Amino acid sequence: MTKQLTTVLDGGRYFEGPRWHNGRLWFVDCMARTLLSISPSGELQEHAAVADDTPCGLGVLPNGDIVVLTMFKKRLLRFADGKLSLYADLSEFATGTIDDMIIDGLGRAYVGDLGFDMPPPPDRGACGRIILVMPDGAARVVAEGLRFPNGIAVSADHRRLVVAEMDGACLADYDIEPNGDLKLRGRFGSMKSPDGICLDQQGAVWVAAFEEDAFIRLDANGRELQRIKVPGRRAIACALGGPERRTLFCLSAATSHEELRQRKSSARIDVVDVEVAGAGYP
């Protein structure tokens, strides 16, 4: 049976980084350069604007503060008391544009470093990395050899990290060491341009497959369990939220790679109830 999506927000530019926090879905509009949140009933609130860069990934610190990644100046900004302030400056550390991120329950931020500057060069290869930013601000590289690292998710027990390799058309699966280091377990799945991801309580991964116009649920062996189509729209990111974390928030846009270069895009958020609740981060 095909799951029916319900639209809760339409008419944005390019929504990214959905994170369920404190009864609301937090996210950014990359092109409008705003930090936003929406309630389950559809009440939209704008919290902050990023005047000088493009926001993308989000994370939530253990104390509830939101951290916003900005792509080209390679910064993490903390949103607290109604304003943004510098949380971490990775401009001397990242080798390329930074894209997505996640913060786990211990306050550790895992940040995707593309290894090249956007727009992507045609010969970019497997130069992507994951940078770990500790709560004290110390940063180090914990993964290398990734083909356009995009969405990142961490399990509730802090023992597993999954990252979407957009150019690799798969998901990279890591064990997390107690100190936060990553050890590659393997790769799984096959889909066109995986973007944002989230985990559920069965260890399955929901993947926004940008070029398949669909949100796909995969088990840990890469077997497709479910597919939710958004025909004619690019699937960008997803998160499980709601009171029981059984609501899948699906962020999509009517655009293309060429139109994105021209800043042409129309974003939407749809929701659908699923059987298995979310777990971990986001």
Side-chain angles (χ1 to χ4, degrees):
M1 185 175 70
T2 302
K3 290 277 189 179
Q4 294 299 312
L5 293 168
T6 300
T7 300
V8 294
L9 181 63
D10 202 352
R13 299 286 304 285
Y14 197 85
F15 297 148
E16 257 284 16
R19 309 288 184 253
W20 180 257
H21 170 62
N22 200 23
R24 300 177 69 86
L25 185 77
W26 291 72
F27 57 101
V28 296
D29 189 324
C30 301
M31 290 188 180
R33 295 183 170 182
T34 49
L35 172 65
L36 307 163
S37 73
I38 191 169
S39 70
S41 63
E43 175 215 356
L44 181 67
Q45 184 174 352
E46 179 178 323
H47 298 278
V50 181
D52 61 349
D53 201 3
T54 300
C56 191
L58 287 187
V60 183
L61 291 169
N63 71 352
D65 289 351
I66 302 291
V67 174
V68 184
L69 175 153
T70 77
M71 298 177 70
F72 301 102
K73 290 182 180 288
K74 306 173 187 179
R75 300 168 306 180
L76 306 183
L77 305 178
R78 182 200 295 259
F79 177 72
D81 301 321
K83 59 185 179 183
L84 293 168
S85 61
L86 183 65
Y87 180 73
D89 184 350
L90 300 179
S91 61
E92 299 298 321
F93 202 85
T95 56
T97 302
I98 60 175
D99 183 54
D100 210 343
M101 68 171 292
I102 198 66
I103 295 177
D104 68 13
L106 305 176
R108 302 178 298 194
Y110 290 91
V111 179
D113 172 7
L114 300 184
F116 53 79
D117 292 328
M118 293 286 275
D123 57 345
R124 48 195 180 265
C127 54
R129 313 186 302 170
I130 294 178
I131 299 169
L132 171 62
V133 182
M134 297 295 284
D136 64 1
R140 66 182 188 271
V141 175
V142 289
E144 297 183 273
L146 290 161
R147 297 179 61 86
F148 201 129
N150 211 313
I152 306 171
V154 172
S155 62
D157 62 5
H158 301 103
R159 296 176 65 181
R160 181 189 184 202
L161 180 143
V162 181
V163 56
E165 289 190 80
M166 200 166 196
D167 285 350
C170 65
L171 305 177
D173 207 359
Y174 291 89
D175 289 320
I176 303 176
E177 304 290 344
N179 67 352
D181 285 348
L182 300 180
K183 182 179 180 181
L184 183 64
R185 180 186 299 178
R187 289 175 165 86
F188 67 100
S190 178
M191 72 292 293
K192 296 178 182 177
S193 298
D195 199 332
I197 62 173
C198 62
L199 293 168
D200 68 23
Q201 289 182 355
Q202 292 182 354
V205 187
W206 279 101
V207 183
F210 187 91
E211 291 189 29
E212 295 194 31
D213 300 4
F215 297 87
I216 305 167
R217 183 173 179 250
L218 303 174
D219 67 15
N221 295 315
R223 183 170 61 98
E224 183 173 321
L225 304 173
Q226 200 169 343
R227 178 178 290 253
I228 298 172
K229 298 179 181 179
V230 283
R233 304 185 64 83
R234 308 294 83 76
I236 297 170
C238 51
L240 285 158
E244 298 179 347
R245 292 194 68 183
R246 294 181 190 273
T247 300
L248 183 69
F249 290 86
C250 301
L251 280 59
S252 66
T255 190
S256 66
H257 288 300
E258 177 61 30
E259 287 174 323
L260 283 175
R261 286 190 283 269
Q262 301 170 20
R263 299 185 61 80
K264 295 179 180 178
S265 174
S266 176
R268 192 173 80 196
I269 300 178
D270 297 310
V271 297
V272 63
D273 290 335
V274 296
E275 289 77 22
V276 182
Y281 314 88

